[in-house]
Amino acid sequence: MDWIKKCYSRMLIDNHITDLNPKFMSKFDPEQYVAMVRRAGVKSAMVYSCDHNGNCYYPTRIGHMHANLHGRDIFGETVRLLREAGIVPVAYYTTIFHNDSAKDHPEWRARDIDGVDHHGRYHYCCPNQPGFLAFTMEQLAEVAGYPVAGFFVDMTFWPLVCQCPACVEKFGGPAPETIDWNDPEWVRFQRFRERTMAEFGQRLTDHLKSLRPECSVVHQFSPVLHGWYLGQSSGIAAASDYGSGDFYGGRAQHRLGAKLLDAYTTHPPFEFMTSRCVNLSDHTSTRSEAELFLHAATTLANGGACFFIDAINPDGTLEERTYDRLGSVIRRLTPFTGVLERLQPRLEARCGLYFSMESCVNPALDGVPLRLLNEGSSNMGIRCNPLADEVSATAELLTRMKIPYRILTDRTEDWSGLDAVIVSNARYLSPDECARMREFVRDGGTLIATGMSSLQKRDGESSGNFQLADLFGVDFTGEFTDTVSYLKTPEEGLTACLNNRCPLVRVRDAELLGTVTVPDYPANDPERYASIHSNPPGIDTDCAGLTLHRFGRGQCVYLYSTLLRHRNASQREFGERLFRRFVPGALRSNLPPSAEVTLLRAEDGTLVVAVVNDQEDPPNIPLFDVEIEIPCAPVQSVRRVSDGKPVPVMMRDGKLLLNLERLDDVEMFEIIQR
């Protein structure tokens, strides 16, 4: 799998073209394909072997070959030509979203409680159906017969809450009729969905590894942010050699998503996929060169491989202008990809942001009959998910404050170098996760925990109190606020938390820093209210809203609510004051909030400082006379990566001072320490 360390620029040409019209794919030319990839200047290309329609682009023995190819093996030809051109070929294969199989084999179909087995153009097969599993294994064996360096398996997630006969039998009965995240039986069903999907992914990986042990295998992991409905877990990451996925949520999601993919990566670098289209449903609207450059620069600044997605024309041709644009971007990025290929550094930070995939649930659905659930079929929009919202808003706040951070997950065993960890509303935690947090604080770390963190075990069971009550220094009363409540502190006064029910707690042995205030009447009462438009604060309670608890050599801050998920000025200002007090590692600079600074560390100790100036409406307005202070050990030399020129070593108050006369988009500094 050495190829992944040498390829920090990659691409895919999306090819989900039907064979309904004889013109479709009739003009596909593998030589043009490879010429365009070379024009783009990337080092690796992902090639379609089978698409969502179930169309294979090689002569399959058991599936459906795209009829307009008339038996021509364009997958094999393209792979061969890529290798001859020195470009690393990776095979794309889709599963579950597999129209041909679902239509030809009704017994394989995924079905919800009402028997719905597709949404619009997309038809689904269930991974728990033995026949579909056997079919997938055989098709993958066909693909593995080609000289590719790796495999990307797409759509390894649940497109619906499946209640097909295979799922019912495997679970031991039908799903609970009503969604209830406090009910261990419902949580057990959700863990069944996560477990069986992870098992499916792992079986495919093991199968491919048995056939081609030298090849990499990854599964689509963009559902990491999309919540419980898609049924992914860290088990999908465990079945992948590195993190990979496409995201469409803008700058803030990109910055967070890159760090998530890095955290779930076993063999770095991760790859962050950026579509040259504004989204997958718009075939012609292309991002500007400035947008594409900033997307790629953000990925590289987080230590990942930039990855572009193009969309093929229905007749199989490609647009040369697209590859000229990508080529221009890749050439501008060459100094930065070069230093990453040479050093292969990983994110370094003193602050950790904890992400619990199992806790990405939607409590607002409690009490909703499963039969009435309608989440839709698109896997690209972030689903209503308080944990992901809070983690995203917290990440934005850390970026604004220039506090470098890295993501921690249930798979992260190494917490070394961290001084503070923020645990956002991680409701379902295992005893091992809780033990790791307890040990971290006992050894001198600072933990900031919010909301329902540790209230339940992963299986949904709960003692009625937080698993980490001893660490928090507070006890859960068993009651929750209404959907509107307020944190009252002597310094900030009242700070609102809206649209969330938050646990009411009382101090056990912690220091009380703030209390909870609630409205005079229930938030949704149509007759009794203080203000017709809103729910102003009314009643001060004796419940703790913010506490500080000393534990071992460290300390734990507990915040009762998810108010950090709000991006309004008052909540943001509260978060900034909280983090200034309890989260070390902020870098002093005169950079605006839109700019991000990341730290990357190579195995040989070399430090790379990356700065990305990503404004809302590119091209960017240049920044002048930029200064950044970097705490680090004594420095031997500093090199500016963009032009390779040495930079004078300037120290101030024991910190390295980096200066930029002008910053347009991105800069990196390579720092050799003594």
Side-chain angles (χ1 to χ4, degrees):
M1 296 191 301
D2 285 346
W3 77 268
I4 62 178
K5 299 178 181 179
K6 303 171 185 175
C7 296
Y8 277 79
S9 57
R10 310 172 188 178
M11 76 171 302
L12 159 72
I13 300 174
D14 231 0
N15 188 349
H16 296 287
I17 307 299
T18 72
D19 53 12
L20 295 176
N21 185 319
K23 295 180 181 179
F24 293 170
M25 289 300 292
S26 63
K27 295 183 179 180
F28 181 87
D29 181 359
E31 291 187 355
Q32 188 209 22
Y33 182 110
V34 176
M36 292 301 102
V37 173
R38 294 185 68 178
R39 203 165 187 152
V42 297
K43 294 191 174 182
S44 172
M46 192 180 290
V47 187
Y48 269 59
S49 66
C50 181
D51 68 9
H52 292 350
N53 301 297
N55 292 331
C56 292
Y57 296 96
Y58 65 92
T60 175
R61 295 184 301 275
I62 62 167
H64 174 74
M65 186 176 185
H66 198 289
N68 297 340
L69 301 181
H70 305 292
R72 184 181 180 187
D73 187 355
I74 64 170
F75 173 68
E77 290 181 42
T78 305
V79 167
R80 175 179 59 80
L81 290 172
L82 285 170
R83 291 183 66 87
E84 290 176 0
I87 299 166
V88 176
V90 175
Y92 171 100
Y93 179 85
T94 187
T95 186
I96 298 177
F97 285 62
H98 204 282
N99 288 8
D100 183 71
S101 296
K103 291 177 179 179
D104 286 353
H105 296 274
E107 73 279 10
W108 293 357
R109 296 176 188 170
R111 305 173 188 273
D112 71 11
I113 194 170
D114 289 322
V116 174
D117 56 17
H118 73 285
H119 294 105
R121 299 172 178 176
Y122 305 97
H123 296 255
Y124 316 124
C125 291
C126 176
N128 285 327
Q129 288 284 351
F132 177 65
L133 173 62
F135 167 84
T136 304
M137 301 279 265
E138 191 168 347
Q139 270 208 332
L140 283 174
E142 292 179 340
V143 178
Y146 290 86
V148 295
F151 305 90
F152 177 84
V153 184
D154 202 3
M155 316 309 269
T156 341
F157 54 82
W158 291 104
L160 44 73
V161 180
C162 189
Q163 284 290 273
C164 76
C167 283
V168 171
E169 180 181 359
K170 200 165 186 177
F171 180 62
E177 294 183 0
T178 303
I179 299 171
D180 185 353
W181 294 107
N182 294 299
D183 178 9
E185 185 63 12
W186 170 259
V187 177
R188 186 174 75 88
F189 173 67
Q190 172 63 13
R191 299 296 173 252
F192 161 80
R193 298 176 71 233
E194 296 167 353
R195 183 180 67 256
T196 54
M197 184 57 67
E199 289 171 351
F200 176 72
Q202 190 64 60
R203 289 192 69 170
L204 301 189
T205 295
D206 291 345
H207 179 55
L208 287 168
K209 292 284 190 180
S210 70
L211 298 169
R212 299 286 304 282
E214 77 281 7
C215 288
S216 60
V217 181
V218 298
H219 296 266
Q220 170 67 266
F221 202 51
S222 60
V224 64
L225 277 172
H226 298 329
W228 71 276
Y229 184 76
L230 300 182
Q232 275 205 350
S233 67
S234 59
I236 293 294
S240 302
D241 286 311
Y242 54 87
S244 176
D246 50 335
F247 297 80
Y248 299 85
R251 178 184 63 191
Q253 190 190 78
H254 189 158
R255 289 170 169 172
L256 173 61
K259 294 175 182 66
L260 280 164
L261 292 177
D262 178 69
Y264 284 107
T265 287
T266 302
H267 302 286
F270 68 90
E271 62 188 19
F272 190 101
M273 298 178 169
T274 295
S275 174
R276 65 90 179 153
C277 303
V278 293
N279 56 56
L280 291 185
S281 63
D282 190 331
H283 187 82
T284 60
S285 297
T286 300
R287 299 178 195 269
S288 68
E289 183 174 324
E291 288 178 288
L292 292 170
F293 181 83
L294 286 168
H295 273 260
T298 295
T299 298
L300 296 172
N302 283 278
C306 61
F307 189 115
F308 294 112
I309 303 175
D310 185 26
I312 201 166
N313 291 324
D315 64 1
T317 59
L318 300 168
E319 297 293 332
E320 291 186 2
R321 290 173 298 176
T322 295
Y323 297 88
D324 289 339
R325 177 172 290 181
L326 294 179
S328 176
V329 169
I330 293 297
R331 284 191 296 274
R332 290 175 60 195
L333 291 169
T334 297
F336 309 113
T337 54
V339 77
L340 295 182
E341 288 169 3
R342 177 166 53 83
L343 295 175
Q344 298 163 30
R346 298 291 296 272
L347 282 168
E348 178 175 88
R350 295 172 62 191
C351 174
L353 185 53
Y354 203 84
F355 189 81
S356 166
M357 285 190 76
E358 289 80 5
S359 301
C360 289
V361 305
N362 184 3
L365 293 175
D366 282 354
V368 174
L370 187 58
R371 194 173 297 278
L372 299 181
L373 178 68
N374 182 18
E375 286 265 356
S377 62
S378 171
N379 68 306
M380 297 307 170
I382 296 182
R383 302 177 188 279
C384 185
N385 177 352
L387 181 141
D389 287 348
E390 185 176 345
V391 170
S392 179
T394 302
E396 288 182 54
L397 190 59
L398 293 171
T399 299
R400 287 176 61 90
M401 298 179 68
K402 304 298 177 282
I403 300 177
Y405 69 94
R406 62 186 177 98
I407 296 292
L408 306 179
T409 76
D410 61 321
R411 300 183 69 225
T412 309
E413 296 184 358
D414 183 10
W415 288 32
S416 61
L418 296 172
D419 296 320
V421 171
I422 303 166
V423 183
S424 300
N425 206 30
R427 179 173 179 173
Y428 302 98
L429 294 177
S430 69
D432 286 345
E433 289 175 284
C434 291
R436 201 170 290 138
M437 294 175 188
R438 208 176 267 112
E439 180 183 9
F440 171 73
V441 177
R442 185 181 288 116
D443 289 345
T446 295
L447 190 82
I448 299 175
T450 73
M452 291 190 277
S453 293
S454 85
L455 187 57
Q456 290 165 269
K457 296 180 180 179
R458 280 193 181 181
D459 60 7
E461 295 290 345
S462 177
S463 67
N465 202 359
F466 302 110
Q467 297 178 75
L468 292 173
D470 60 324
L471 179 59
F472 297 167
V474 300
D475 293 305
F476 177 43
T477 64
E479 297 181 351
F480 293 86
T481 68
D482 203 343
T483 55
V484 177
S485 62
Y486 299 84
L487 172 65
K488 185 176 184 180
T489 61
E491 298 83 7
E492 286 87 10
L494 291 163
T495 307
C497 180
L498 309 175
N499 304 318
N500 270 107
R501 297 176 69 240
C502 306
L504 289 169
V505 306
R506 287 197 169 86
V507 167
R508 174 191 289 191
D509 54 358
E511 178 185 350
L512 185 65
L513 302 180
T515 56
V516 178
T517 295
V518 298
D520 289 287
Y521 302 102
N524 297 313
D525 194 313
E527 299 296 334
R528 299 181 305 154
Y529 48 81
S531 170
I532 197 168
H533 295 303
S534 62
N535 297 278
I539 302 171
D540 293 333
T541 75
D542 61 354
C543 290
L546 183 67
T547 59
L548 173 63
H549 185 228
R550 310 291 177 180
F551 187 89
R553 293 189 288 112
Q555 58 187 355
C556 179
V557 177
Y558 175 76
L559 173 63
Y560 85 107
S561 72
T562 59
L563 67 85
L564 291 177
R565 72 183 288 213
H566 301 302
R567 292 166 169 84
N568 303 318
S570 59
Q571 288 90 347
R572 190 174 67 221
E573 289 167 3
F574 165 80
E576 288 176 350
R577 286 189 289 267
L578 183 73
F579 291 170
R580 274 196 296 269
R581 179 175 176 183
F582 293 108
V583 180
L587 307 177
R588 288 184 58 185
S589 78
N590 59 356
L591 287 165
S594 60
E596 181 180 37
V597 182
T598 55
L599 307 179
L600 303 166
R601 179 77 68 177
E603 286 189 4
D604 67 0
T606 301
L607 178 66
V608 176
V609 178
V611 190
V612 179
N613 173 31
D614 188 353
Q615 298 167 13
E616 288 292 343
D617 189 15
N620 291 321
I621 299 170
L623 305 177
F624 295 95
D625 300 322
V626 172
E627 287 190 356
I628 311 169
E629 288 185 356
I630 306 294
C632 59
V635 173
Q636 177 177 320
S637 65
V638 180
R639 183 179 73 89
R640 192 167 52 232
V641 172
S642 61
D643 57 11
K645 293 182 178 180
V647 175
V649 176
M650 295 185 291
M651 304 297 292
R652 183 166 65 193
D653 299 329
K655 298 176 182 178
L656 176 66
L657 182 63
L658 298 176
N659 289 310
L660 282 169
E661 291 184 5
R662 172 174 173 151
L663 175 65
D664 289 293
D665 301 304
V666 60
E667 185 57 271
M668 291 185 184
F669 296 90
E670 182 180 351
I671 301 167
I672 307 297
Q673 296 174 270
R674 294 173 185 168

